Structure formats: C-alpha cells, structure tokens
Amino acid sequence: WGWVYSSYLLHQSFFKYLFGAADGNPFDAMALSWLEYPYLRDLIYGQNFFGDPSMTIYENVPIHMDMAVYSSPNGACRVEISAAGNPVANASMTLSSGENVLDKGTTDASGVWTTSLPLNYDSVYAITANKEGYIVVQRNYSPSIAADIKDKNELLPAEYELKQNYPNPFNPSTIIEYAIPVRSSSQLDIFNLLGQLIRKMDLAEKPAGRYSVQWDGKNNYGREVSSGIYFYRIRADKFSQTKKMVLLR
C-alpha cells in the first residue's frame, strides 16, 4: 500500500478501524486512519478496497501445470500440458509474438495442442496455458531448424544423456535438455541442498530423440523456491543421472 516505507502504518490503522470502531465500513475506516496518520494523507488516494480487477481470485489452492514444447517437421510446434504427471485436457492455449495473438486453441484429452501455423526460425514466441483451478503457465519458444530435416536417423541419440541446464545460474526459469535412445518414459526430479525432493515432473512416454523441459523455479505446490544450489535428476528405464544448478533471485 503506497510507495513509501511508512505506508504500512496507514495500512495497519485502516484494518484496525475496519474491524473495530468503523464496524466493517471501509469509508469510515479510511477516515479514521487518515485522522490517526494525517501526514500520510496523500496515500489515501492510492487505496483500492476491492483489489486489482484483472487479478484472478482462487477459492481453492490452484494446481501447478507443466508445459513441454516440441518442434514439428512442418514448422509448427506441439505442446503438452500436464499436472503431477497427468494430462490436462481443455486448457486454453494462446500463441503470441510481442503484443500480437497468432493462434488459439485448447488441449485435447491427452493434454496436447498443436499450433495451426508454421513458425519462423528467427522469432521468439510466447505460449500460454490457462485453465480454471490451475496456475497460468507461460513459456518462450524458438523453433529449431533441425525439426525440418526429413531424414533424422543420424540425429537420433545413441545413448541416454542429461545436459547442463541453461542459463545457469538462472532467474526465474531454466531449460533442461535430455536425450533418450529408445522409446521410454522419463522422470525429472529436483532436490534442494538438503536432498529434499521439491519438484517432480513425470515426462510422458516419448520416442527416441532429444527433448527439453522448463523449470520455473517453483515447487510442487506452485510456490517459488529461494535462491540456492539445486540438483536435478533424470531417470529413464535403468538410466539415472544428476547435475547441479544455481538459482539466483
């Protein structure tokens, strides 16, 4: 409330009177708090009793969604939306570039949405997923030119691999790339310095190839974690590998 350090005094006073002498009337509480701290009178004009009208109000704790984006040979992209390893159907999807909305749609029963237009290799796009009861998730995406090579046999990985995340250190999100030589399901786990599991991402079964997943610096409950050293581990079939990353807020 307000733009000066001492504005918290006016904030405290307002709520003291709102549930006291003002008997729940916000206008009386405003007047009484103004009389108590008249030197903060300019902050009265900044009051907003009902909050930001564009802000979503949740009645229950919203669920965190994960987004994975994959290139398609035709220049489009395929987006998978999941929550706790389960696909999220009927999520509203938006593809935008700058202030321009280029494409819209919804995920199918498998949590998948594919853009309807080819994307330029020299552009950065924003992909947003939104569904009631879930935390809105957005990811920046740049198409890979490798996706348009029709004969990709030589590009298939010969072994399992977990690459170093980038950027590293990072804030607020980072990309983790991995490779699987055969069709398999994978799981990405993130641990804090104490070895506690803070985020679990069940990655859908995929054919052999190279993939990437974004971690937004939040735990399984959608809360931002603090700065520090974290470890991420990929598991696929009998393969398991762990690497270190640094979050700086």
Side-chain angles (χ1 to χ4, degrees), residues 8-236:
Y8 77 93
L9 297 172
L10 191 61
H11 184 88
Q12 290 179 336
S13 179
F14 172 79
F15 279 97
K16 177 182 71 175
Y17 288 118
L18 181 66
F19 297 102
D23 195 26
N25 187 311
F27 302 102
D28 290 345
M30 179 180 70
L32 290 170
S33 62
W34 189 3
L35 291 175
E36 186 171 4
Y37 294 102
Y39 59 89
L40 295 177
R41 60 186 180 275
D42 290 345
L43 296 178
I44 291 294
Y45 301 112
Q47 284 193 100
N48 186 344
F49 296 124
F50 305 107
D52 184 348
S54 66
M55 182 175 65
T56 301
I57 303 298
Y58 295 99
E59 295 180 355
N60 300 302
V61 177
I63 303 170
H64 183 85
M65 290 190 292
D66 292 309
M67 178 188 296
V69 184
Y70 306 100
S71 299
S72 297
N74 62 358
C77 70
R78 182 175 183 270
V79 185
E80 296 179 1
I81 304 298
S82 61
N86 299 313
V88 178
N90 299 317
S92 298
M93 305 297 301
T94 304
L95 175 73
S96 59
S97 178
E99 298 179 354
N100 301 316
V101 175
L102 306 178
D103 198 7
K104 288 185 176 183
T106 56
T107 55
D108 59 20
S110 300
V112 174
W113 176 66
T114 303
T115 58
S116 61
L117 71 165
L119 308 182
N120 298 321
Y121 295 121
D122 58 349
S123 300
V124 177
Y125 300 89
I127 302 174
T128 307
N130 182 28
K131 185 176 181 179
E132 185 176 354
Y134 293 80
I135 299 174
V136 176
V137 60
Q138 184 180 78
R139 178 176 171 183
N140 290 332
Y141 171 73
S142 295
S144 170
I145 194 169
D148 273 357
I149 300 177
K150 295 182 179 179
D151 185 5
K152 295 184 288 184
N153 292 332
E154 295 182 358
L155 298 177
L156 293 178
E159 57 185 4
Y160 291 99
E161 182 183 9
L162 176 63
K163 291 189 175 183
Q164 186 64 50
N165 67 300
Y166 65 90
N168 186 42
F170 67 95
N171 178 25
S173 63
T174 188
I175 301 296
I176 299 171
E177 294 184 341
Y178 65 99
I180 51 177
V182 296
R183 186 176 189 89
S184 58
S185 298
S186 306
Q187 179 175 309
L188 179 66
D189 297 322
I190 298 175
F191 303 87
N192 61 18
L193 198 56
L194 299 177
Q196 299 169 321
L197 177 65
I198 61 168
R199 185 67 181 276
K200 175 182 177 181
M201 296 186 221
D202 291 318
L203 309 177
E205 182 176 314
K206 299 179 180 65
R210 294 177 173 84
Y211 302 96
S212 66
V213 62
Q214 182 184 48
W215 182 44
D216 55 7
K218 297 179 181 179
N219 61 20
N220 284 325
Y221 302 100
R223 300 187 183 96
E224 291 185 345
V225 300
S226 59
S227 298
I229 297 173
Y230 294 87
F231 299 91
Y232 60 100
R233 179 185 66 191
I234 191 78
R235 290 189 294 175

